């Protein structure tokens, strides 16, 4: 994924988190970018002050990337069973970081 598209997706991810926590709305992304409309799985990892805050993934490529990222962002923020749900005050913290990984890749395992 190129840098401008990645930045656009991260900005969208931040907006999703802010809106869903504030009012429960799931914003749509209107785009014709083929990188964002391609069906893809994704993992979203949330950090606060350098510590893991939530991490949820969806490995199937059954929805457009923007939608997958939207849905797993919500899941990481509100439904990761290891953490309390993110609150509106929690979304305003500047030290919070969001990462996402998209294309699954093969990894060579030692001894195989």
């Amino acid at each position: 994924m190129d840098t401008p598209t990645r930045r656009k997706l991260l900005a969208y991810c931040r907006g999703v988190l802010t809106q869903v926590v504030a009012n429960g709305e799931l914003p749509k992304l209107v785009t014709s970018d083929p990188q964002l409309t391609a069906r893809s799985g994704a993992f979203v990892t949330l950090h606060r002050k350098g510590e893991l805050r939530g991490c949820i993934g969806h490995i199937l490529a059954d929805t457009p990337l923007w939608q997958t990222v939207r849905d797993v962002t919500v899941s990481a923020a509100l439904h990761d069973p290891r953490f309390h749900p993110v609150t509106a005050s929690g979304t305003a913290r500047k030290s919070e970081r969001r990462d996402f990984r998209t294309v699954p890749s093969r990894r060579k395992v030692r001894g195989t």
Side-chain angles (χ1 to χ4, degrees):
M1 177 179 304
D2 62 38
T3 301
T5 302
R6 184 175 180 82
R7 286 185 180 144
K8 182 176 184 175
L9 192 55
L10 283 170
Y12 174 66
C13 185
R14 288 182 189 102
V16 165
L17 183 57
T18 300
Q19 284 191 32
V20 79
V21 170
N23 57 29
E25 292 182 16
L26 289 176
K28 289 188 177 182
L29 180 66
V30 178
T31 183
S32 60
D33 184 329
Q35 294 178 84
L36 298 177
T37 58
R39 294 180 180 275
S40 180
F43 284 85
V44 171
T45 304
L46 305 176
H47 290 89
R48 183 180 297 141
K49 297 181 182 177
E51 297 292 322
L52 180 65
R53 173 58 195 83
C55 181
I56 300 285
H58 182 80
I59 62 171
L60 299 177
D62 56 355
T63 56
L65 176 60
W66 72 265
Q67 186 177 343
T68 304
V69 168
R70 180 194 68 189
D71 295 347
V72 294
T73 295
V74 172
S75 291
L78 303 179
H79 306 295
D80 188 327
R82 299 168 291 176
F83 304 98
H84 293 290
V86 171
T87 62
S89 64
T91 61
R93 298 183 183 179
K94 294 186 183 206
S95 62
E96 197 161 322
R97 187 179 91 213
R98 294 153 193 90
D99 298 318
F100 58 88
R101 304 287 180 258
T102 54
V103 181
S105 60
R106 285 189 187 263
R107 301 282 185 204
K108 185 171 183 175
V109 178
R110 288 185 194 175
T112 59

